[in-house]
Amino acid sequence: MSFPAALVDIPTHGDVQGLLGVLESNSSVPFKIKRVYFIYGVPSGTSRGSHGHKKLQQLIVPLSGSFDVVLHDGSVEETFSLESPNKGLLIQPGLWRNLINFSNDAVCLVLASEHYDEIDYIRDFDEFIEWVASR
Ligand code: TYD
């Protein structure tokens, strides 16, 4: 099975007036968007995340600046560098994630397939590994 996350192109319209990226439910975003949040002002050297999600799908877009997303599926770890608003990271359910190496100007937009629900989180890595094994 291929790794359940990948960089995807964000449809972008450009002309002499600049660029316009489009994110649309069930189209350029392959799920119904139920929630949008954004992370910014992350102090240098600080990481975010450190949790897994059971059901949640997400599309992460670096609106400004850059950062890395480190994903773990229970056996394999992959790192994705996000640095351009025309490429997002599509994350399937069941992955552990860490967001690291934020530039000072980083703005991380997250589109999510579910409303906020603490029940969907796994906040301990050992528990995440056990959950993957039990699936
Ligand atoms: P958390 O998911 O732990 O952030 P990160 O993964 O970036 O480190 O969320 C941080 C806080 O924000 C926590 O108190 C929960 C709250 N929160 C919401 O209320 N709604 C949301 O949609 C999200 C993502 C977080």
Side-chain angles (χ1 to χ4, degrees), residues 13-75:
H13 303 269
D15 58 29
V16 289
Q17 294 165 303
L19 298 159
L20 185 155
V22 182
L23 298 167
E24 222 174 326
S25 256
N26 296 325
S27 173
S28 54
V29 181
F31 52 81
K32 183 169 179 220
I33 302 163
K34 289 201 184 159
R35 179 164 53 109
V36 175
Y37 62 94
F38 43 96
I39 296 166
Y40 59 101
V42 180
S44 176
T46 304
S47 69
R48 306 269 328 189
S50 269
H51 59 250
H53 278 291
K54 297 174 194 164
K55 277 176 47 187
L56 193 68
Q57 281 179 279
Q58 292 169 306
L59 179 67
I60 299 185
V61 183
L63 287 187
S64 165
S66 60
F67 50 89
D68 296 331
V69 183
V70 184
L71 298 174
H72 204 298
D73 70 358
S75 51

Side-chain angles (χ1 to χ4, degrees), residues 113-131:
S113 63
E114 306 295 333
H115 294 291
Y116 178 73
D117 182 3
E118 189 58 35
I119 297 288
D120 194 62
Y121 281 74
I122 305 174
R123 294 197 179 269
D124 178 86
F125 188 69
D126 292 339
E127 251 177 61
F128 171 72
I129 295 296
E130 278 172 30
W131 176 80

Side-chain angles (χ1 to χ4, degrees), residues 53-110:
H53 278 291
K54 297 174 194 164
K55 277 176 47 187
L56 193 68
Q57 281 179 279
Q58 292 169 306
L59 179 67
I60 299 185
V61 183
L63 287 187
S64 165
S66 60
F67 50 89
D68 296 331
V69 183
V70 184
L71 298 174
H72 204 298
D73 70 358
S75 51
V76 174
E77 181 180 279
E78 290 221 6
T79 299
F80 297 86
S81 293
L82 296 184
E83 57 195 12
S84 168
N86 67 12
K87 282 237 186 277
L89 178 63
L90 183 62
I91 302 181
Q92 301 299 340
L95 290 172
W96 183 269
R97 78 279 327 270
N98 259 318
L99 279 66
I100 61 172
N101 295 335
F102 283 88
S103 63
N104 286 336
D105 57 348
V107 180
C108 167
L109 178 74
V110 184

